Amino acid sequence: MAFFSSTATVPQNLTFVSSNKLSFSPSSTTSFNFVSFPSFQSKFCKTITSSPQITRAHAPPTPSTETTTASSFHGLCYVVGDNIDTDQIIPAEHLTLVPSKPDEYQKLGSFALIGLPDSYTVRFVESGETKTKYSIIIGGANFGCGSSREHAPVALGASGAAAVVAESYARIFFRNSVATGEV
Protein backbone atom coordinates (compact mmCIF):
# COMPACT_ATOMS: atom_id res chain seq x y z
CA MET A 1 0.00 0.00 0.00
CA ALA A 2 1.11 3.53 -0.64
CA PHE A 3 1.73 6.01 2.18
CA PHE A 4 0.81 9.58 2.62
CA SER A 5 0.22 11.94 5.48
CA SER A 6 -1.23 15.39 5.18
CA THR A 7 -2.69 18.22 7.16
CA ALA A 8 -6.30 19.19 6.60
CA THR A 9 -7.66 22.57 7.56
CA VAL A 10 -11.18 22.25 8.88
CA PRO A 11 -13.45 24.53 10.89
CA GLN A 12 -12.55 24.56 14.58
CA ASN A 13 -15.99 24.15 16.13
CA LEU A 14 -16.62 20.46 15.55
CA THR A 15 -19.89 19.04 16.77
CA PHE A 16 -20.02 15.29 17.24
CA VAL A 17 -23.69 14.44 16.83
CA SER A 18 -23.23 10.70 17.42
CA SER A 19 -20.53 8.10 16.92
CA ASN A 20 -20.89 8.40 13.16
CA LYS A 21 -21.89 11.98 12.39
CA LEU A 22 -19.77 15.10 12.36
CA SER A 23 -20.76 18.68 11.65
CA PHE A 24 -18.86 21.95 11.53
CA SER A 25 -19.59 25.50 12.58
CA PRO A 26 -18.52 28.06 9.98
CA SER A 27 -16.22 30.04 12.34
CA SER A 28 -12.45 29.88 12.68
CA THR A 29 -10.39 26.98 11.43
CA THR A 30 -7.84 24.62 12.89
CA SER A 31 -5.52 22.01 11.45
CA PHE A 32 -5.89 18.27 11.91
CA ASN A 33 -3.31 15.79 10.79
CA PHE A 34 -4.61 12.73 9.05
CA VAL A 35 -3.22 9.40 8.08
CA SER A 36 -4.84 7.71 5.12
CA PHE A 37 -5.18 4.13 3.99
CA PRO A 38 -5.56 4.86 0.25
CA SER A 39 -6.09 1.26 -0.87
CA PHE A 40 -9.49 1.30 0.84
CA GLN A 41 -12.35 1.71 -1.64
CA SER A 42 -15.06 3.65 0.19
CA LYS A 43 -18.50 2.08 -0.06
CA PHE A 44 -20.00 4.14 2.73
CA CYS A 45 -20.69 7.55 1.23
CA LYS A 46 -23.18 8.76 3.84
CA THR A 47 -21.64 11.18 6.30
CA ILE A 48 -18.54 13.34 6.49
CA THR A 49 -17.16 16.74 6.46
CA SER A 50 -16.31 19.08 3.66
CA SER A 51 -13.49 19.40 1.20
CA PRO A 52 -10.46 20.17 3.37
CA GLN A 53 -7.53 21.96 1.82
CA ILE A 54 -4.64 19.51 1.79
CA THR A 55 -1.01 20.51 2.33
CA ARG A 56 1.13 17.93 0.60
CA ALA A 57 4.84 17.33 1.10
CA HIS A 58 6.42 18.52 -2.14
CA ALA A 59 8.50 21.34 -3.52
CA PRO A 60 6.63 24.64 -3.66
CA PRO A 61 5.13 25.20 -7.10
CA THR A 62 6.47 27.87 -9.38
CA PRO A 63 4.08 30.79 -9.86
CA SER A 64 3.24 29.67 -13.40
CA THR A 65 2.15 26.15 -12.34
CA GLU A 66 0.39 26.91 -9.05
CA THR A 67 -2.89 25.04 -8.60
CA THR A 68 -5.31 24.54 -5.73
CA THR A 69 -5.81 20.95 -4.63
CA ALA A 70 -8.81 19.86 -2.57
CA SER A 71 -9.55 16.38 -1.30
CA SER A 72 -12.45 14.95 0.56
CA PHE A 73 -13.16 11.71 2.36
CA HIS A 74 -16.66 10.31 2.45
CA GLY A 75 -17.93 7.68 4.83
CA LEU A 76 -19.17 6.88 8.27
CA CYS A 77 -17.03 8.26 11.10
CA TYR A 78 -16.04 6.54 14.32
CA VAL A 79 -15.17 9.12 16.97
CA VAL A 80 -12.66 8.41 19.75
CA GLY A 81 -11.05 10.69 22.33
CA ASP A 82 -7.52 11.69 23.26
CA ASN A 83 -4.67 9.29 24.08
CA ILE A 84 -5.99 6.20 22.29
CA ASP A 85 -3.12 3.83 22.90
CA THR A 86 -1.95 0.84 20.88
CA ASP A 87 -3.32 -1.58 23.48
CA GLN A 88 -6.77 -0.11 22.82
CA ILE A 89 -6.22 -0.36 19.07
CA ILE A 90 -5.09 -4.01 19.23
CA PRO A 91 -4.75 -5.74 22.63
CA ALA A 92 -1.63 -7.80 23.35
CA GLU A 93 -3.44 -11.18 23.19
CA HIS A 94 -3.94 -10.67 19.43
CA LEU A 95 -0.28 -9.95 18.65
CA THR A 96 0.31 -13.62 17.83
CA LEU A 97 -1.49 -13.09 14.51
CA VAL A 98 0.89 -12.79 11.56
CA PRO A 99 -0.22 -9.98 9.22
CA SER A 100 1.64 -11.48 6.24
CA LYS A 101 -0.78 -14.44 6.23
CA PRO A 102 -4.01 -13.35 4.49
CA ASP A 103 -6.42 -15.15 6.83
CA GLU A 104 -4.61 -13.82 9.91
CA TYR A 105 -4.47 -10.31 8.41
CA GLN A 106 -8.25 -10.42 8.01
CA LYS A 107 -8.67 -11.69 11.58
CA LEU A 108 -6.38 -8.92 12.84
CA GLY A 109 -8.73 -6.37 11.30
CA SER A 110 -11.69 -7.88 13.14
CA PHE A 111 -9.97 -7.05 16.46
CA ALA A 112 -9.23 -3.38 15.63
CA LEU A 113 -10.14 -1.00 18.48
CA ILE A 114 -11.50 -3.92 20.52
CA GLY A 115 -9.56 -2.70 23.57
CA LEU A 116 -11.56 0.51 23.94
CA PRO A 117 -13.22 0.95 27.36
CA ASP A 118 -16.84 -0.07 27.95
CA SER A 119 -17.86 3.60 27.72
CA TYR A 120 -17.66 3.15 23.93
CA THR A 121 -21.02 1.45 23.50
CA VAL A 122 -20.76 1.17 19.71
CA ARG A 123 -18.11 -1.29 18.52
CA PHE A 124 -15.76 -0.33 15.70
CA VAL A 125 -16.05 -3.80 14.16
CA GLU A 126 -19.28 -5.66 14.93
CA SER A 127 -19.07 -9.13 16.49
CA GLY A 128 -18.68 -11.82 13.88
CA GLU A 129 -17.56 -9.32 11.21
CA THR A 130 -14.07 -8.88 9.80
CA LYS A 131 -14.52 -5.38 8.35
CA THR A 132 -15.85 -2.19 9.87
CA LYS A 133 -18.63 -0.04 8.47
CA TYR A 134 -16.68 3.07 9.55
CA SER A 135 -14.23 4.25 6.92
CA ILE A 136 -12.91 7.21 8.93
CA ILE A 137 -11.66 7.34 12.52
CA ILE A 138 -11.81 10.78 14.17
CA GLY A 139 -9.39 11.01 17.10
CA GLY A 140 -8.09 13.62 19.49
CA ALA A 141 -4.54 14.31 20.59
CA ASN A 142 -1.80 11.68 20.84
CA PHE A 143 -3.52 8.95 18.79
CA GLY A 144 -1.55 5.68 18.86
CA CYS A 145 0.44 6.35 22.03
CA GLY A 146 1.77 3.52 24.16
CA SER A 147 3.89 0.62 23.05
CA SER A 148 5.75 0.26 19.79
CA ARG A 149 3.58 -2.51 18.36
CA GLU A 150 3.44 -2.35 14.59
CA HIS A 151 0.24 -4.38 14.63
CA ALA A 152 -1.77 -1.24 15.55
CA PRO A 153 -1.72 0.54 12.17
CA VAL A 154 -1.92 -2.83 10.39
CA ALA A 155 -5.09 -3.73 12.32
CA LEU A 156 -6.74 -0.43 11.37
CA GLY A 157 -5.89 -0.95 7.71
CA ALA A 158 -7.03 -4.58 7.80
CA SER A 159 -10.34 -3.51 9.34
CA GLY A 160 -11.14 -1.43 6.27
CA ALA A 161 -10.52 2.03 7.72
CA ALA A 162 -9.62 4.54 5.01
CA ALA A 163 -8.24 7.31 7.20
CA VAL A 164 -7.45 8.35 10.74
CA VAL A 165 -8.05 12.06 11.34
CA ALA A 166 -6.51 13.18 14.61
CA GLU A 167 -5.24 16.31 16.29
CA SER A 168 -1.84 14.63 16.72
CA TYR A 169 -0.21 11.19 16.57
CA ALA A 170 2.29 9.45 18.78
CA ARG A 171 5.63 9.40 16.99
CA ILE A 172 6.02 5.61 17.18
CA PHE A 173 2.52 5.00 15.77
CA PHE A 174 3.27 7.31 12.86
CA ARG A 175 6.65 5.64 12.20
CA ASN A 176 5.11 2.17 12.40
CA SER A 177 2.48 3.29 9.90
CA VAL A 178 5.27 4.24 7.51
CA ALA A 179 7.32 1.10 8.22
CA THR A 180 4.43 -1.33 7.67
CA GLY A 181 3.23 0.42 4.54
CA GLU A 182 -0.31 0.65 5.86
CA VAL A 183 -0.61 4.38 5.48
Side-chain angles (χ1 to χ4, degrees):
M1 294 183 195
F3 165 80
F4 75 88
S5 173
S6 298
T7 300
T9 302
V10 296
Q12 185 172 358
N13 295 333
L14 302 177
T15 305
F16 298 106
V17 180
S18 70
S19 65
N20 65 352
K21 293 184 180 173
L22 174 66
S23 64
F24 296 110
S25 299
S27 64
S28 62
T29 60
T30 188
S31 291
F32 282 91
N33 293 316
F34 69 89
V35 180
S36 176
F37 302 93
S39 65
F40 176 79
Q41 306 246 334
S42 177
K43 298 175 187 172
F44 308 102
C45 297
K46 293 185 179 178
T47 307
I48 186 68
T49 65
S50 61
S51 296
Q53 295 298 323
I54 308 300
T55 305
R56 305 220 184 253
H58 57 71
T62 59
S64 63
T65 62
E66 189 170 331
T67 60
T68 303
T69 304
S71 293
S72 63
F73 289 93
H74 301 277
L76 293 175
C77 297
Y78 191 82
V79 180
V80 295
D82 292 340
N83 300 313
I84 298 300
D85 63 46
T86 54
D87 199 46
Q88 292 172 324
I89 296 171
I90 187 73
E93 66 253 25
H94 304 296
L95 297 180
T96 59
L97 296 170
V98 180
S100 61
K101 296 180 179 177
D103 58 329
E104 291 188 22
Y105 178 79
Q106 187 174 20
K107 190 180 278 189
L108 188 64
S110 70
F111 295 123
L113 291 173
I114 200 168
L116 290 173
D118 293 337
S119 60
Y120 289 89
T121 57
V122 177
R123 290 193 49 170
F124 181 64
V125 180
E126 295 295 327
S127 285
E129 297 292 322
T130 58
K131 298 288 183 188
T132 185
K133 64 182 177 181
Y134 302 101
S135 56
I136 301 166
I137 301 167
I138 307 288
N142 204 22
F143 187 89
C145 61
S147 69
S148 61
R149 59 183 66 154
E150 59 272 353
H151 285 70
V154 173
L156 294 176
S159 72
V164 175
V165 180
E167 191 174 334
S168 64
Y169 300 95
R171 184 196 63 80
I172 194 69
F173 176 83
F174 184 82
R175 292 303 310 155
N176 281 335
S177 297
V178 172
T180 60
E182 279 300 324
V183 185

